[in-house]
Amino acid sequence: MSTVSYKDAGVDIDAGNQFVENIKPLVKSTFDKNVIGGIGSFAGAYELPSGYQKPVILGATDGVGTKLKLAIDSGIYDTVGIDLVAMCANDLICNFGTPLFFLDYYAMSKLEIDAAVSIVKGIAEGCIQAECSLIGGETAEMPGMYHSKDFDLAGFAVGIAEKDEMNRLPHVKAGDILIALPSSGVHSNGFSLVRKLFFDKLGYTFDTEFDGKPLIETLLTPTRIYVKLFKTLKSKINALAHITGGGIVENLPRVLPEGLQAHVYKSKIKTLPVFNFMSQYVEESEMHRTFNMGVGMILVVSPENVNDVLANSDGYIIGELKAGERSAIML
């Protein structure tokens, strides 16, 4: 009987080693002064920044969902890594955490070095936008678990916050104003519905023109990262909500104390063309509980700080807080 190797079983160790060498410059480009060592050790190391009175470490994890299927089928790999970082970093800032470092998990059927490097290039770009360091990751070649060009991504972000700043509920009051920060597109939620509508029901292709460009470009527009804006506006914000799966109606109440109700005026939302189009085929309530509708983040701001926030961001007013049952009402 002839011998069998790991490569015969579908795992190429040499390709994995070459991949690590190829991504070292990308990873290093995200490093700041607190990173200890480099890529290739058993664990990433990061020195905690000074200046915190009661530092608390926060962690967030997420994926990109079935948006990955569009990247796989289109062969466009350099944007979903930005989505991966965004979904984690945007969650951290909602707890008033500043992202410090990021790790990724990348699993596939067969390691294709060029595609893998493109994915990590996107992750590195996301880390630069989020001002955090990519200090480690795991690449898993798993034939039999994944097939053909299928792959999956998971991300893990670690941040730091002052303990006394984390609980935002006492800062949120009736009369506070709701300011929307625009999304860049569909972001990374609801893509099973997106794919069902555009490709199964309507028979569109990736090259179908939509809003002046190929549809695939619109759909793969990466999730906006709000970290830098948060750092600029932090002292003027009472609370903020990341609008992901569940939309405004499910995410905004997460930052409200009991006895406060968010009144969001649908007519004030600057809905993006992709959502206006889908609304022709999807019930309004379903749209609002699935998609961000053009609002990627909502800031809760005291009336006296509204002008400063508007002057230093691309935000706009979409509602206010009033006494009532804890919920978000779309009016």
Side-chain angles (χ1 to χ4, degrees):
M1 180 181 294
S2 61
T3 60
V4 63
S5 68
Y6 209 2
K7 189 172 183 178
D8 293 331
V11 180
D12 190 337
I13 297 175
D14 292 331
N17 291 335
Q18 184 60 55
F19 167 63
V20 172
E21 288 301 314
N22 289 358
I23 65 172
K24 280 184 176 180
L26 296 171
V27 174
K28 190 174 181 179
S29 71
T30 71
F31 285 2
D32 62 22
K33 64 180 181 180
N34 297 311
V35 177
I36 301 172
I39 186 173
S41 187
F42 290 96
Y46 193 94
E47 184 175 5
L48 291 181
S50 59
Y52 287 83
Q53 300 300 312
K54 297 179 181 178
V56 174
I57 297 299
L58 297 87
T61 184
D62 211 333
V64 184
T66 58
K67 189 174 188 176
L68 289 182
K69 182 64 175 170
L70 296 183
I72 293 166
D73 291 346
S74 67
I76 300 172
Y77 300 110
D78 61 348
T79 60
V80 288
I82 301 174
D83 290 296
L84 185 68
V85 177
M87 296 303 288
C88 299
N90 287 342
D91 278 352
L92 281 182
I93 62 176
C94 291
N95 288 101
F96 265 50
T98 298
L100 297 177
F101 59 84
F102 190 83
L103 302 99
D104 68 274
Y105 175 78
Y106 171 36
M108 79 298 292
S109 171
K110 178 177 174 56
L111 179 61
E112 300 287 349
I113 293 179
D114 288 346
V117 170
S118 290
I119 291 167
V120 175
K121 181 181 179 182
I123 295 173
E125 171 59 28
C127 286
I128 290 170
Q129 292 183 26
E131 298 185 332
C132 65
S133 300
L134 177 59
I135 67 168
E138 172 67 10
T139 303
E141 200 169 13
M142 301 170 66
M145 290 288 291
Y146 297 89
H147 301 280
S148 186
K149 294 184 177 181
D150 286 349
F151 68 89
D152 200 5
L153 292 174
F156 311 88
V158 172
I160 190 169
E162 282 284 7
K163 183 176 182 180
D164 295 340
E165 293 181 351
M166 289 179 57
N167 182 12
R168 306 311 303 170
L169 294 180
H171 301 272
V172 177
K173 310 290 185 182
D176 282 354
I177 303 301
L178 302 175
I179 296 178
L181 298 181
S183 68
S184 57
V186 185
H187 282 186
S188 298
N189 300 103
F191 271 88
S192 294
L193 177 53
V194 167
R195 290 164 49 237
K196 180 73 173 179
L197 173 59
F198 280 105
F199 304 113
D200 295 347
K201 181 178 177 65
L202 299 177
Y204 285 9
T205 69
F206 293 156
D207 294 326
T208 299
E209 184 176 330
F210 184 88
D211 199 28
K213 57 187 176 183
L215 175 61
I216 191 63
E217 290 187 21
T218 294
L219 298 183
L220 285 182
T221 299
T223 304
R224 182 178 176 185
I225 295 174
Y226 299 93
V227 173
K228 292 180 182 179
L229 200 54
F230 163 73
K231 290 179 178 179
T232 299
L233 301 173
K234 181 179 176 181
S235 65
K236 306 293 184 180
I237 300 171
N238 294 339
L240 64 167
H242 186 197
I243 309 306
T244 56
I248 294 173
V249 293
E250 293 188 10
N251 285 290
L252 185 52
R254 296 165 67 178
V255 304
L256 303 180
E258 292 295 336
L260 282 187
Q261 188 173 81
H263 287 200
V264 179
Y265 303 105
K266 291 182 288 186
S267 62
K268 293 184 179 294
I269 295 176
K270 297 178 181 179
T271 310
L272 297 175
V274 66
F275 298 121
N276 286 329
F277 179 85
M278 287 193 289
S279 294
Q280 300 175 66
Y281 304 94
V282 180
E283 292 288 341
E284 182 181 69
S285 60
E286 185 78 357
M287 290 292 297
H288 281 284
R289 67 193 293 262
T290 304
F291 299 110
N292 66 65
M293 301 302 290
V295 178
M297 191 78 68
I298 293 179
L299 311 181
V300 181
V301 179
S302 298
E304 64 269 20
N305 290 326
V306 168
N307 288 338
D308 282 343
V309 171
L310 295 178
N312 291 282
S313 72
D314 58 351
Y316 60 95
I317 296 172
I318 60 167
E320 59 195 323
L321 299 185
K322 295 186 177 184
E325 182 182 356
R326 179 176 170 268
S327 59
I329 306 298
M330 307 299 294
L331 299 171

